[in-house]
Amino acid sequence: MTIFRSLTFYLALGGIALAFSLMKQLTTPPPEPFYFEPAINPFDQTIAAGGVIESVDKNIEIGVPISGLVKENFVKVGNHVAEGQVLFHLDDRDLLAQLLVQKAQAVAAQAGLDRLQDQLERLESIEDIRAVSQEELKTRRADVAIAKAQLAAADAQVTQTILLIERLCICSPKEGVILQNNIRKGEFVVAGGSSAMIVGKLDRLQVRAEIDEQNASYIRPQTAAYAFPKNNSSLKIPLTFERIEPFVVPKLSLTGKSDEKVDTRVLQVIYTFDKPESFPLYVGQQVDIFIERPSIDVQTNANKVVESPLDAI
């Protein structure tokens, strides 16, 4: 047929195919269902906040007094440690070498004191006072006093070095569990850098809720509060109020929403809770927190007109 030999026919077919292709690309795909359903607000009036799970009394970040090599590491992640238990040793060979020299100096100072003390005792034992001048006795006694001071200084240096060696033996400040271990034997640890280990108690957990400063005045200790893990919105965890840290700080945990400002400040409120047996929770995990908002109005005096004393006349 002549129509199939026409160029315009095939151009029309190409245009129809291109139109269908563009329509398919412009069609918005249906939204995918949530993998985890969001938590449902349990109160009529509520204050919503985000929080991070911590061990009770906060996670203890173990640091080092000075930079140095790790000589020995005695614990692993998950080990239970007692208060005062040794966690790791830093390299102390330089201090041990100094200690050997200082102990030898202390022995020499003791020998010098014994020699001067013996000379003084011999002079003082002479019965005829005319045989020994008083000036000589005073000089000998002064030499003995100086020798005693030198011995005390040598002993103090030995004690100081021993204390510095003991300081390189890092111990646990409290009973707990090793939550994180960032060092290995032979690694160089920098003082003031990242924590070497993190210790915390896991018998009971706490959550640090970050309340926006606009809602900070509505927080009351007696109000109910619940936490919902982000990976299990059906788990409703009752929270027990512990304390308010009365220092508003910049918000560090940002959600990335377009309406969220980086200069947002938050009030941190600490709640504790028992670990649920049916669902494991871990330190560092984020949760959604809903706090019951009391039905009161926060009164301000910003717009209050100050009456003049003349108005009363």
Side-chain angles (χ1 to χ4, degrees):
M1 298 177 65
T2 308
I3 188 174
F4 294 106
R5 298 178 182 178
S6 176
L7 179 62
T8 57
F9 175 76
Y10 292 102
L11 291 176
L13 289 179
I16 294 173
L18 180 62
F20 275 107
S21 176
L22 292 176
M23 289 178 61
K24 186 176 181 181
Q25 293 180 3
L26 294 176
T27 302
T28 303
E32 297 182 0
F34 289 105
Y35 187 73
F36 295 108
E37 292 294 333
I40 300 176
N41 179 18
F43 305 112
D44 295 333
Q45 294 184 347
T46 186
I47 300 173
V52 178
I53 297 177
E54 300 175 345
S55 59
V56 175
D57 293 335
K58 201 175 179 180
N59 310 328
I60 305 299
E61 297 185 359
I62 307 298
V64 293
I66 61 173
S67 302
L69 293 174
V70 178
K71 183 178 180 180
E72 291 290 342
N73 190 358
F74 301 103
V75 294
K76 298 179 180 179
V77 174
N79 289 159
H80 187 277
V81 294
E83 182 177 355
Q85 180 177 339
V86 179
L87 302 178
F88 60 94
H89 276 167
L90 294 181
D91 189 7
D92 55 359
R93 286 175 292 180
D94 55 343
L95 292 176
L96 291 175
Q98 293 179 20
L99 183 60
L100 293 175
V101 176
Q102 291 168 354
K103 284 185 176 181
Q105 292 174 347
V107 172
Q110 181 66 55
L113 175 62
D114 293 341
R115 178 175 58 82
L116 294 175
Q117 187 72 40
D118 181 66
Q119 293 176 359
L120 178 61
E121 290 176 357
R122 289 182 181 182
L123 293 177
E124 291 178 340
S125 65
I126 298 176
E127 297 180 356
D128 189 358
I129 60 175
R130 293 174 300 177
V132 181
S133 66
Q134 295 299 318
E135 188 67 24
E136 181 69 16
L137 284 174
K138 290 181 180 180
T139 302
R140 295 296 182 181
R141 288 167 182 165
D143 291 341
V144 171
I146 293 174
K148 288 182 178 180
Q150 291 174 346
L151 177 60
D155 291 338
Q157 288 181 345
V158 171
T159 303
Q160 178 187 26
T161 305
I162 292 175
L163 293 176
L164 291 176
I165 292 174
E166 293 177 354
R167 192 176 63 152
L168 299 182
C169 179
I170 311 300
C171 302
S172 175
K174 70 173 185 179
E175 180 185 2
V177 177
I178 303 298
L179 304 178
Q180 193 177 76
N181 183 6
N182 299 321
I183 60 173
R184 300 293 183 271
K185 181 178 179 180
E187 287 185 347
F188 188 83
V189 185
V190 179
S194 59
S195 58
M197 294 183 182
I198 298 180
V199 180
K201 296 188 67 175
L202 299 181
D203 300 336
R204 186 173 172 82
L205 299 177
Q206 74 178 28
V207 60
R208 183 175 299 271
E210 293 187 341
I211 311 298
D212 191 281
E213 60 181 344
Q214 298 181 3
N215 298 322
S217 301
Y218 296 99
I219 297 297
R220 298 293 184 272
Q222 67 273 15
T223 55
Y226 295 94
F228 297 85
K230 290 186 177 296
N231 58 347
N232 188 358
S233 58
S234 63
L235 180 61
K236 183 179 179 181
I237 305 174
L239 302 178
T240 302
F241 175 84
E242 289 295 329
R243 67 183 183 275
I244 295 176
E245 296 189 354
F247 183 70
V248 179
V249 298
K251 187 175 183 180
L252 299 179
S253 178
L254 301 176
T255 61
K257 295 181 179 179
S258 60
D259 58 346
E260 190 172 34
K261 299 180 179 179
V262 295
D263 59 349
T264 302
R265 303 182 70 86
V266 292
L267 177 72
Q268 294 184 339
V269 184
I270 308 302
Y271 294 93
T272 58
F273 63 93
D274 294 324
K275 295 177 63 176
E277 298 180 357
S278 59
F279 191 79
L281 292 178
Y282 302 98
V283 174
Q285 194 170 346
Q286 290 185 335
V287 294
D288 295 322
I289 301 173
F290 295 98
I291 306 170
E292 185 179 12
R293 177 173 176 173
S295 56
I296 59 174
D297 294 330
V298 179
Q299 300 292 335
T300 62
N301 295 325
N303 300 322
K304 185 177 180 180
V305 178
V306 179
E307 297 180 356
S308 172
L310 297 178
D311 295 339
I313 301 177

